[in-house]
């Protein structure tokens, strides 16, 4: 239970001030626990970063599983993506900070790969071609970022329209008639 509290506190600290703001002392203060509690569960700040990214990933993988079992999987995924703008996006900011950090820290890269593989598996029924699926997966990541960082972010319907188009499920664009003459 305390471990989970500390991870959530770490995400709040990162969400407010970025990864640079993370320290065992800052997390302890955020969790209203003594600093010794942080060091008991996480010997280093890096161990806390790994646990925080793993926790985020676990949450999103559960959400992807729920989406896959829903009556409208793409609609559910669009709603999850659009939620990135909720609460001012502090949690999403922390998650992005951690995923970006994975590019420089090998101990975090497993989590980035785990996310990419889960999105690929989710999209497989909609896009059998691996190149189409890779494009749609890149769009999913980009849509999360757009929902988090743009003023007036797209809502679930707009996200769904993008996914439908990329997965060739939406209406084809109108083709203008050739000019007469």
């Amino acid at each position: 239970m305390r471990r989970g509290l500390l991870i959530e506190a770490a995400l709040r600290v990162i969400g407010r001030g970025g990864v640079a703001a993370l320290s065992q002392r800052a997390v302890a203060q955020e969790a209203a626990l003594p600093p010794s509690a942080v060091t008991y569960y996480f010997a280093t700040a890096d161990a806390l970063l790994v646990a925080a990214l793993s926790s985020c990933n676990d949450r999103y993988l559960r959400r992807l599983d729920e989406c896959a079992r829903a009556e409208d999987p793409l609609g559910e995924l669009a709603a999850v993506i659009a939620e990135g703008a909720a609460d001012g996006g502090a949690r999403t900011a922390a998650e992005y900070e951690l995923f970006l950090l994975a590019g420089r820290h090998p101990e975090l890269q497993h989590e980035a790969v785990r996310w990419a593989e889960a999105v690929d598996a989710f999209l497989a029924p909609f896009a059998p071609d691996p190149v189409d699926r890779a494009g749609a997966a890149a769009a999913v990541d980009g849509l999360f970022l757009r929902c988090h960082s743009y003023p007036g972010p797209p809502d679930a319907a707009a996200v769904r329209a993008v996914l439908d188009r990329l997965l060739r499920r939406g209406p084809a664009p109108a083709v203008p008639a050739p000019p007469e003459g």
Side-chain angles (χ1 to χ4, degrees), residues 97-155:
E97 290 254 355
L98 291 167
F99 271 104
L100 289 172
L101 193 61
R104 291 189 300 275
H105 289 268
E107 65 274 10
L108 295 172
Q109 288 175 354
H110 165 75
E111 293 300 330
V113 170
R114 193 165 72 112
W115 167 250
E117 289 174 348
V119 172
D120 184 73
F122 174 85
L123 293 170
F126 305 102
D129 179 76
V131 174
D132 289 343
R133 210 166 45 247
V140 166
D141 289 340
L143 288 164
F144 267 112
L145 182 61
R146 189 169 280 195
C147 286
H148 165 65
S149 60
Y150 280 31
D155 62 10

Side-chain angles (χ1 to χ4, degrees), residues 68-83:
R69 290 184 279 114
E71 186 175 318
D72 178 13
L74 289 178
E76 290 296 316
L77 177 60
V80 168
I81 292 169
E83 288 171 10

